[in-house]
Amino acid sequence: MKNALVAKILNRVADFLELKEETFRVRAYRRAAHTIQLLPTDIEEYAKKRKLTELPGIGRNIAEKVEEILETGRLSYLEKLEKEYPIDMDSLLAIEGIGPKTIKILYEKLKIKNLQDLEYHARRGDLRKIKGIGEKKEERILQSIEFVRSTLGRRLLAYAEPIAEYIKSLIEGHPAAERVEIAGSIRRGGETIGDIDILTTTKKPKEIIDYFTSLEVADEIIAKGTKKAIIRLEDGLECELRIFREEEFGAALLYFTGSMEFNVELRKLARSKSMKLNEYGLYKNGKRIASKTEKEIFKALGLEYIQPELRENNGEIEAAARGNLPSLIREDQIMGDLHIHTIWSDGTETIETMARAAKSLGYEYIAVTDHSGSLKIAGGLDEEKLQRQIEEIDNLDLKVHIFKGIEVNIRLDGQLDIPDDILSKLDIVIASIHSPGREDMTERILSAIQDKHVHMIGHPTGRKLFQREEYPLNLDRIFEEAAKTGTILEINANPIRLDLRDIYIKKAIEYGCKLAINTDAHRLPDLHNMKWGVKTARRGWATPHDIINTLKIEKIKRIF
DNA sequence: GCCGTTTTCGGCCCGACTGTTTTCAGTCG
């Protein structure tokens, strides 16, 4: 699966073309990269069938380049550009307040190629001698270098969202604040977050802006105007506040929720209908015809309401025009958690504690699925321990049903590490890979899917955000086989995993796969991670019908 | 570089803020 690599290379080409000020070519490359990033199918499939140009934004020229990347892992065109400008664009562009124009000047005047060069000259005060850069900017650059180095700029959704909620509550506490909403990628439920966007309506903008910029959480004020302000929080995360009037709020929320690609497409749609869309409203013949709510703007554009999680320009606008959007799953429809660990393996709580907590979340059932024996590091269960665990569950009498389960390892040869006669005593068997090896990962998972004792595949692609790439898998084969055998695929709700991820969920559903959203909880608070799993499922266009743990206890008992 | 039942050529989303400017370019989202 080289989609990520291809998209990265095309984006890099776009970065260099920015230096040449080839605006529209830049846009073309970015659009192609975006298409490939969202593609749930191996791009090589399209290349093999010579169907690359059927993808939106990919014409003959870029198709040729994609083919070259797939064949050689490189792109001679990019290498030519890199020779022309031997600059580390990635890291320089990550610096706040520096864009392509500045990079070009810095390279031409000071031969700045990377962060080290930039820091060196910023400390010497060389930058301020350049036209367009002053003392302030130089200072900001130095601070930003530190931030980029320390964090790579992005955070997990589960990390950023509570911070955003807290700041939102602070603003709501101000008497002049009216409506306050979190927008941006947090509202879309994106798996990682670049910054926090908050919108508010007020009749006293200045008071709110002053209040916001003087908050204790504001480590530094990055921008402060009459309609917007940006602060940097202690940990480097940036939070932007925008002020709007009540009658503009829908347009503002729509615009600042994004994504950028979605906005561009929506504005294009408006233009095609001789209208104009901006963050203040939808206009026709210079007259504002919709702006108060997102709903009325969608309606005026001839669209169904599009949930924030779907706004990625990945087919949702077309579906909304046809009135074909899925009715997305909600957290309150989840009836149980089917992947939970306890002190029997590497969890921190007893079965009873986890079960009671699940009950308080309104669940009808859970599955206790501790690790199997070969995962020694996690205190895996052997046959004897498993038997005793089964007895413990039998002796518990709680108001929540407990399925007896196990999370069994898929060994390198694709076999499970617990014998069949034991597995057949259990209600639910989750098979997961915990030790990636050189063997064909697709085959390993396929053989687990085909095992008649296996009900579910845990965290199928193995990716961990900021930590580990997904396994090289042929997901078409896996989804096809899972659909055929009725093997459930997990949407692991751990915020580092979120695995399956959004685009794969969408594809699995198209294959007819059944999915389950599980927390894989090891500690008590982990049970609340369900929220992130549901958001991810929504981003994958999942309806309650696709998610088996929306079933009531009587119905799900027929499965296990 | 891509795209097209208004076009195969001429378009390609739109506005706020900052810093360094004497009226605006660059950056950001």
Side-chain angles (χ1 to χ4, degrees), chain A residues 449 477-489 513-514:
Chain A
I449 289 176
R477 290 182 63 203
I478 288 170
F479 293 162
E480 196 178 354
E481 195 63 23
K484 203 170 91 190
T485 57
T487 308
I488 298 152
L489 299 175
C513 296
K514 287 294 174 207

Side-chain angles (χ1 to χ4, degrees), chain A residues 210-249:
Chain A
D210 285 342
Y211 171 70
F212 175 67
T213 51
S214 65
L215 285 176
E216 200 161 324
V217 294
D219 218 40
E220 183 195 345
I221 298 165
I222 299 201
K224 187 176 174 182
T226 58
K227 294 183 166 183
K228 93 174 202 190
I230 306 175
I231 57 173
R232 198 197 302 283
L233 309 178
E234 196 180 20
D235 75 336
L237 199 60
E238 284 182 14
C239 179
E240 173 168 351
L241 180 74
R242 287 267 185 163
I243 311 278
F244 288 92
R245 291 209 293 262
E246 181 63 37
E247 64 269 25
E248 304 161 339
F249 200 66

